[in-house]
Amino acid sequence: MDKREEYVQAVIQEAQQRITQPADIQTVYFGGGTPSLLSVEQIQRILAAINPINATEITLEANPGDLTTDKLQQLRHLGINRLSIGIQSFRDEELQFLERRHTAQEARDVVRWAQDAGFDNISIDLMYALPNQTMAHWQYNISEALKLNVQHISCYCLTFESQSRLYRLAKEGKVTPADEDLENAMFDELCATLAKNGYIHYEVSNFSKPNRRSQHNSSYWNNTPYIGLGAGAHSYDRQKRRWNIANLSAYVKHMLSMSKYWEEEMLTPEQKEMEHIMLGLRTREGISLNDDLLAKAQPFLKSGQLAITDNRLHATQQGLHILNRIIEALV
């Protein structure tokens, strides 16, 4: 038995243990890593174990290189009704720097194949503030994304996380992170251009056509309980957080031997309030106000980085540039 099949069996076993009321499942999200590497038959078996009879949104994260016209048609037939495709860039130089396996043309082709297969809810991911990326390069990526007429676009600023390949390259002086002013300008350009083209900026990194928000990801920001299955998956029931062993082999070993494969923590009232602020301020709607929050928010309200609409506190465009600092001050 190969490692992929072992993993699929472990996920199915976890689903059978933990999902007792499939009718309550509203969304399913195949994410984390590269679920598109699984065969259609393996995805079908996982779906059967979950049995999401009332789900309105079933998403599959995919790399462009893992999708063919046949596989897309089979996935649509399975009931997958939303794709999240990790394109990252429409410039081959940038894709090579990011060590992606696909080319810009393959990314365009896959989106069109998906549309031809009947997918009418497609999200693509892009990255900005790459080393040596100019504003013109970024504008080109945005314009290429718009030509595809997808329903959802997620855009992320490149980060140099400790111990990562990029972090080591930066420490060695082989790459230089983007200037902060350019990074902010790229973000502003993104927001303005997508707004002009009918996209709603509903979360810091996410833009959608009307009524095409990611239902599943919105649950994270809106305090909705969820169950995560598989290695490294997180779960939340409003009272505690639970997370599975991240190492794939260790997860499979513990799952199949029926030994404990997760850890969990009960959330204190202070932690719940902190998460309410941290996650809620990432969204267009913001968070409800109270006296304590209003007092802490005063400096940012005066500077125009926060605003109040319908008694809800939210970040302005200027505030989104320093959102992490604002959240730290409020919690």
Side-chain angles (χ1 to χ4, degrees), residues 26-204:
Q26 301 302 309
T27 64
V28 176
Y29 196 101
F30 287 89
T34 315
S36 54
L37 283 172
L38 298 178
S39 70
V40 172
E41 187 269 341
Q42 287 170 327
I43 294 171
Q44 181 180 32
R45 284 160 50 211
I46 293 173
L47 270 177
I50 297 170
N51 189 24
I53 55 178
N54 288 336
T56 55
E57 179 186 273
I58 303 178
T59 304
L60 178 80
E61 274 188 4
N63 285 327
D66 297 332
L67 297 174
T68 64
T69 53
D70 286 346
K71 189 167 186 176
L72 284 162
Q73 290 168 358
Q74 292 168 353
L75 290 169
R76 190 70 192 91
H77 182 71
L78 276 190
I80 306 291
N81 58 16
R82 184 174 184 274
L83 292 176
S84 178
I85 304 175
I87 288 176
Q88 314 308 349
S89 173
F90 290 101
R91 299 185 67 246
D92 287 331
E93 302 94 320
E94 292 172 355
L95 290 170
Q96 289 163 13
F97 171 75
L98 294 168
E99 297 188 331
R100 306 299 291 180
R101 292 184 286 115
H102 63 275
T103 66
Q105 189 55 48
E106 287 169 341
R108 295 184 189 95
D109 289 342
V110 162
V111 172
R112 294 189 177 107
W113 294 345
Q115 291 166 336
D116 290 344
F119 284 96
D120 61 359
N121 197 0
I122 298 172
S123 177
I124 62 172
D125 289 0
L126 296 177
M127 297 195 74
Y128 65 96
L130 278 60
N132 301 318
Q133 188 181 48
T134 66
M135 179 62 81
H137 294 155
W138 179 230
Q139 289 170 329
Y140 173 80
N141 277 333
I142 297 171
S143 68
E144 289 299 291
L146 289 171
K147 288 177 186 177
L148 294 174
N149 195 31
V150 294
Q151 290 73 32
H152 191 282
I153 300 176
S154 298
C155 296
Y156 303 101
C157 180
L158 182 68
T159 58
F160 289 68
E161 295 185 10
S162 180
Q163 309 310 314
S164 68
R165 176 184 70 93
L166 287 175
Y167 180 84
R168 291 193 299 272
L169 289 174
K171 291 287 283 185
E172 294 166 4
K174 294 179 179 177
V175 299
T176 303
D179 175 79
E180 185 177 347
D181 289 340
L182 177 59
E183 176 186 313
N184 288 338
M186 286 179 168
F187 181 69
D188 289 342
E189 177 73 11
L190 168 74
C191 297
T193 305
L194 292 189
K196 287 176 188 174
N197 285 273
Y199 288 84
I200 298 166
H201 189 190
Y202 72 97
E203 194 270 348
V204 174

Side-chain angles (χ1 to χ4, degrees), residues 191-226:
C191 297
T193 305
L194 292 189
K196 287 176 188 174
N197 285 273
Y199 288 84
I200 298 166
H201 189 190
Y202 72 97
E203 194 270 348
V204 174
S205 304
N206 289 279
F207 305 77
S208 76
K209 292 288 184 71
N211 302 315
R212 290 307 184 106
R213 296 186 183 195
S214 167
Q215 295 176 36
H216 184 88
N217 289 341
S218 293
S219 68
Y220 300 141
W221 308 313
N222 297 334
N223 199 39
T224 302
Y226 53 87

